[in-house]
Amino acid sequence: QSALTQPASVSGSPGQSITISCTGTSSDVGGYNYVSWYQQHPGKAPKLMIYEVSNRPSGVPDRFSGSKSGNTASLTISGLQAEDEADYYCSSYTSSSTLYVFGTGTKVTVL
Amino acid sequence: QVQLVQSGAEVKKPGASVKVSCKASGYTFTSYDINWVRQATGQGLEWMGWMNPNSGNTGYAQKFQGRVTMTRNTSISTAYMELSSLRSEDTAVYYCASGFTGWFDPWGQGTLVTVSS
C-alpha cells in the first residue's frame, strides 16, 4: 500500500487561503468517504482536523474545510494564521489488509 | 478529559522486543478502537494496526505481520503494542490513537523507541 501523495510544502501570507491536495487511488481515497486530516506541530502528537472528508470535530476552527473529488482529497485553510504553521497529513481507509494509509505530509509555512 | 497516556522512552538492542503501553481515561475504553501509528525522525506517519478493545480483535499492516502483537487489559483500560525482532529502522516515535472507522482521535503523547547496539 503506497502512501498518498501530498505536496511537500505550501505557503501563504496571513489572511490568505491555501489548499493542500492528497492524491490516492480508487482503492483508498476514491473508494471511501473515510478521508481524515491531521495537524502536527513540531515535537507534538498529531491532532484530528477533518474526518469523513469534510466534517470538523468540535473545537476545530471553521477556517479548516475538506472536500474530495475522485481520487483526490483537499484541505483548505482560509484566513491563514500564524498558528496554522505545521505539518499536515491526510489519511484514508483502504480496501487492503493494511486498513489505513497516510499521506506523505505537507509543511505549511505562514510567510 | 479524554486522553491516552503512553509509557516512557525505551532503548533496545537489535533483535530484542519492545512493549509500549497506552492507558485510556475520560471515556469507556471498550467503545472505540485503538490504533498504533509510528513516525521515524523527520519522516511521515505510518499506520501499524488496530485493536478492538471490546473483542480483542486485531488487524495489522502487511509490513508488520508476524512482528507486531496488540493486546489489552480492560480492567485497567490499557492497550499494548509489542514489536519483536527490532532493527535500527524501527527507531521511531510510536503513537496510540483512539478512534472509529476512518479517524484517529485523540492521540497519545508518543513513545520514543531507539534501537541501537
Side-chain angles (χ1 to χ4, degrees), chain A residues 5-84:
Chain A
T5 300
Q6 298 180 230
S9 62
V10 173
S11 62
S13 299
Q16 285 188 328
S17 292
I18 61 169
T19 296
I20 303 167
S21 61
C22 169
T23 301
T25 69
S26 58
S27 297
D28 38 63
V29 175
Y32 304 93
N33 285 325
Y34 290 128
V35 176
S36 53
W37 289 89
Y38 302 87
Q39 176 192 66
Q40 186 179 35
H41 287 108
K44 300 294 188 182
K47 174 187 175 184
L48 177 67
M49 304 302 284
I50 295 286
Y51 67 98
E52 292 174 0
V53 177
S54 60
N55 294 307
R56 265 189 323 275
S58 171
V60 172
D62 59 7
R63 304 183 288 105
F64 292 85
S65 62
S67 63
K68 190 184 85 167
S69 177
N71 296 337
T72 298
S74 299
L75 173 72
T76 297
I77 308 175
S78 305
L80 199 60
Q81 298 185 6
E83 59 261 36
D84 299 333

